[in-house]
Each structure stands twice: as C-alpha cells, then as structure tokens.
Amino acid sequence: MTFGFAPPSTTSLTSATGAASRHGRLLEPSEWTAAGIPLLRNPREVVSGLHSRHSPVPSTAVIAVLGPEERLVASASFVQRSTSADGWEYRNALLSRLRRVLPHDLRRRTPVRTAVLLYCREGDERWTVEDGAWMWGLRDACTLHGLRCGAYITLTRGGWQVLGEGRGGRQPSSDSRPQHLGDTVAEFAPLALHTGGGSGEALRRTAAR
C-alpha cells in the first residue's frame, strides 16, 4: 500500500479545490502538514479502538477526544452525507457532537485534550477535496471547543492511514469486522448521556472515563 498525497487529476477536482480554498473551508495537504498537528504515539491502537466501538461504514465520521497517554475521553460517530465538500458544514456537525459528549475547555489557557477524526469513505488512500474539508472542519471545531487539533485518519477498503504522516496499515479497513474491545484496547466505563428529543438521526455516542 502506498501512502501520501496525490494532486487532483481532473479539471473538475481542481476547480472544486480552488472554490473551497477561496472560501477558506478547505485545507490542502501542505497547509495541514505545516499546521504542526501532534503525532499519535500508537495510531494503530487508536484506529482499532475506534473501529471496534463504532463499526464505521462509508460516510461515517468518528470524532474522538484523547487525554494524557492517548486515553480515550469521549467519542461520537455519525453518518454525514453532503452533496458538496464544505468545511463549514463539517465543522458544525463535529462541534454539535462534541458538545453532546464533552464539556468545552475554553477556560483553559492552553488545550490539554486532543481531538482526532476518523473518516470512513470510498476510494483509495489519496487525499481528496472531501478530506481537505474535513481537515478544515476538525481544526475549526477544536478551536471552538477548546481542544488541540489532532490527527485526521481515513479508513478505506485498502486500510487506514494518518494523512500527512505517511503512517497506516491494512487492518482495520472499511470492510473489516470489528474486533472485541478486549482484543484491541482496554475497556472504558461508559457514562450515561442524554440528549434532547428527536433521536432519529444516524448517531451513536460513546463516552468513557
């Protein structure tokens, strides 16, 4: 498997990138790399744990907040379908889920917790305009919730990869069956979470101490 970024290969994709960039709602690979996103010490464990908890299928986003030692604090998954890749729309979706599972850290001078995003999608491991919009959305949602912006991870049929780092693996993939949590990471005691009425949207939430 080859990891890394590939430049847009069609005129339409290039046009879409330019339009999104003009609105400031998309981060290109060079911008993401230059942002100094902190590296995950054990990305395989993080990916396997989130895959086991949320069983993502294509179009599923999993937002997770990590504390010290990369210990999971809270996570939420949801299906996001959009006709266009819009970082502003993705930011709002991520921020909404963060607010449901975790109080903000805006009173802290510097962030102490890190949010990472795992996005399951079709296609291969190469960067897409949609990835750029999710990157923008993650960075902005973290700022508005008082969190440090962490890794953006894609999950495809070919496996997973941390974009911008060149690290990845073949398992798990979007076709993988979730492993039992005990086989991948330590169990966490779930917290009872309550939301306002209307739970018909495709949303699964997990919070952990």
Side-chain angles (χ1 to χ4, degrees):
M1 178 180 293
T2 301
F3 300 106
F5 301 117
S9 58
T10 66
T11 302
S12 59
L13 188 57
T14 302
S15 299
T17 303
S21 297
R22 284 195 297 273
H23 291 291
R25 296 175 178 175
L26 178 150
L27 290 178
E28 296 195 28
S30 58
E31 295 174 300
W32 182 255
T33 301
I37 305 300
L39 302 178
L40 289 170
R41 285 181 297 178
N42 194 336
R44 185 183 301 277
E45 183 174 293
V46 171
V47 172
S48 296
L50 295 179
H51 183 264
S52 297
R53 284 179 169 81
H54 296 278
S55 305
V57 296
S59 298
T60 300
V62 182
I63 180 72
V65 179
L66 307 178
E69 306 301 321
E70 292 189 356
R71 185 174 178 83
L72 182 66
V73 175
S75 63
S77 64
F78 58 98
V79 174
Q80 181 74 18
R81 292 189 173 91
S82 177
T83 56
S84 62
D86 189 333
W88 183 83
E89 179 181 337
Y90 294 166
R91 185 277 308 275
N92 290 344
L94 293 170
L95 192 58
S96 171
R97 274 66 183 193
L98 285 171
R99 286 170 173 167
R100 295 185 188 193
V101 300
L102 188 76
H104 67 72
D105 279 347
L106 294 173
R107 292 185 179 87
R108 295 183 180 274
R109 290 186 176 181
T110 57
V112 296
R113 296 186 286 195
T114 303
V116 301
L117 178 62
L118 171 71
Y119 184 57
C120 182
R121 61 167 173 76
E122 301 288 358
D124 58 27
E125 74 279 0
R126 292 176 295 179
W127 180 88
T128 67
V129 169
E130 185 180 26
D131 293 327
W134 277 114
M135 289 171 169
W136 188 95
L138 175 62
R139 187 185 66 176
D140 214 43
C142 288
T143 299
L144 295 174
H145 208 65
L147 301 171
R148 181 186 296 111
C149 180
Y152 174 69
I153 307 161
T154 58
L155 188 71
T156 64
R157 290 182 180 179
W160 60 271
Q161 78 151 332
V162 185
L163 289 189
E165 294 185 18
R167 293 191 292 173
R170 295 186 181 278
Q171 295 295 329
S173 69
S174 59
D175 292 334
S176 300
R177 290 186 177 183
Q179 292 181 304
H180 186 272
L181 281 172
D183 298 332
T184 55
V185 293
E187 284 277 10
F188 296 91
L191 297 174
L193 295 172
H194 303 282
T195 60
S199 58
E201 64 176 325
L203 169 66
R204 293 190 302 276
R205 302 176 300 278
T206 300
R209 287 195 296 269

